[in-house]
């Protein structure tokens, strides 16, 4: 497990391109037959992936957590951006198709990832946060019929926002948040930009109560997203490519503009779970 320490805005304003990428960029995430995890001191979020191809992959705590099992003191969010797969949670196997998600509660002992077809493997993207109570493990689907441990994303949690004139026409799918899937502090969702739209989260904002991680994907190899970060009056950018993630501290804006449409997963961890608790930044105040 890779460790990232927290950073100060007073220091970050002096970082060059290499240092910015070392601190905030998470690249080379999805590797065949590997679980990759990055532990950030910022709100103790863990970001990573599991890509089972030739066999199953079991999620373990590692030395860094000083725990017997990964979820002894943690909750876990999963979204599959690859082919069909399964996640076995304490002996119960869930069919997790493309764009399906999962919430896995604190106290879970065994988590095993597998793909249905090695030629089109699942790519499980992971966000994890410290937890203080047990919430039920559920499979999250965008369409279908709800069941005892299967949640369908509600229509009110599929928000169509923006416009083609502003180049930010997009649909926000909220997977994990109060009223949809209960968690201790983790929130996750997926935003899909419509063809011809390239901007996300602009006008931008900060939220001192929560940090955030973005995963950009659905991009051809020659496309990039210019991810903007930093304090509103000390903005910086990081060039993002397909299937790369970026850590956004709570003091930082987080917004992107691509060379074409793309999709991104957002995960938030912190003080509260009020999705609309944001400190908006006026366009004229950005520098």
């Amino acid at each position: 497990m890779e460790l990232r320490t927290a950073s100060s805005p007073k220091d970050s304003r002096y970082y060059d391109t290499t240092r910015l990428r070392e601190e905030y960029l998470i690249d080379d995430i999805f590797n065949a037959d590997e679980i990759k995890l990055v532990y950030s001191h910022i709100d103790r979020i863990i970001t990573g992936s599991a890509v089972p191809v030739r066999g199953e992959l079991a999620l373990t705590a590692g030395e860094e957590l000083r725990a017997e099992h990964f979820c002894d003191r943690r909750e876990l969010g999963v979204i599959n951006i690859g082919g069909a797969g399964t996640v076995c949670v304490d002996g119960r196997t869930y069919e997790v198709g493309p764009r399906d998600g999962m919430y896995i509660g604190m106290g879970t002992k065994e988590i095993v990832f597998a793909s249905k077809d090695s030629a089109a493997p699942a790519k499980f993207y992971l966000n994890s946060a410290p937890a203080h109570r047990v919430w039920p493990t559920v499979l999250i689907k965008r369409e279908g019929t709800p069941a005892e441990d299967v949640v369908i994303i509600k229509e009110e949690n599929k928000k169509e926002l923006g416009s083609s004139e502003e180049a930010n026409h997009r649909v926000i799918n909220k997977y994990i948040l109060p009223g949809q899937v209960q968690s201790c502090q983790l929130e996750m969702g997926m935003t899909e930009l419509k063809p011809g739209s390239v901007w996300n989260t602009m006008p931008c904002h900060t939220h001192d109560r929560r940090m955030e991680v973005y995963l950009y994907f659905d991009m051809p190899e020659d496309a990039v997203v210019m991810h903007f970060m930093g304090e509103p009056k000390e903005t910086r950018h990081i060039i993002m490519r397909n299937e790369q993630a970026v850590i956004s501290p709570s003091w930082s804006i987080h917004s992107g503009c691509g060379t074409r449409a793309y999709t991104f997963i957002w995960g938030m961890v912190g003080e509260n779970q009020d999705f609309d608790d944001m400190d908006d930044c006026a366009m004229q105040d950005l520098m």
Side-chain angles (χ1 to χ4, degrees), residues 7 57 65 136 151 178 233 245 249:
S7 57
L57 292 174
L65 297 186
V151 173
K233 294 188 182 296

Side-chain angles (χ1 to χ4, degrees), residues 199-218:
W199 278 102
N200 76 70
T201 325
M202 183 61 74
C204 61
H205 60 262
T206 61
H207 30 65
D208 275 345
R209 278 69 57 196
R210 298 188 304 273
M211 63 84 66
E212 195 157 3
V213 175
Y214 278 5
L215 170 74
Y216 290 101
F217 66 106
D218 277 354

Side-chain angles (χ1 to χ4, degrees), residues 47-63:
T47 301
S49 69
V51 186
V53 179
R54 290 174 292 185
E56 299 177 340
L57 292 174
L59 182 62
T60 59
E63 289 296 320

Side-chain angles (χ1 to χ4, degrees), residues 121-140:
K123 292 182 177 181
F124 297 106
Y125 177 64
L126 315 177
N127 280 176
S128 172
H132 59 272
R133 63 161 293 177
V134 176
W135 287 107
T137 292
V138 292
L139 175 64
I140 306 165

Side-chain angles (χ1 to χ4, degrees), residues 143-188:
E143 307 289 343
T145 303
E148 181 180 356
D149 52 2
V150 179
V151 173
I152 309 302
I153 297 178
K154 299 175 181 178
E155 286 303 315
E156 60 264 32
N157 287 327
K158 301 174 185 177
K159 293 281 189 180
E160 188 166 347
L161 299 174
S163 66
S164 56
E165 290 78 10
E166 297 171 300
N168 66 354
H169 190 194
R170 63 202 188 277
V171 177
I172 300 176
N173 300 279
K174 301 175 182 179
Y175 284 61
I176 301 172
L177 81 168
Q180 175 69 63
V181 171
Q182 293 295 331
S183 66
C184 293
Q185 60 169 319
L186 177 66
E187 294 183 292
M188 286 185 77

Side-chain angles (χ1 to χ4, degrees), residues 79-82 96-101 140-142 153 175 190 192 217-218 263:
I79 296 180
N80 180 13
I81 69 166
V96 185
R99 302 298 198 266
D100 288 350
I140 306 165
K141 290 182 171 289
R142 304 210 302 193
I153 297 178
Y175 284 61
M190 179 186 297
E192 298 165 297
F217 66 106
D218 277 354
T263 304

Side-chain angles (χ1 to χ4, degrees), residues 87-109:
V87 181
C88 185
V89 180
D90 286 344
R92 164 75 161 91
T93 298
Y94 296 84
E95 302 282 337
V96 185
R99 302 298 198 266
D100 288 350
M102 284 197 72
Y103 173 80
I104 300 174
M106 183 182 74
T108 300
K109 293 179 170 55

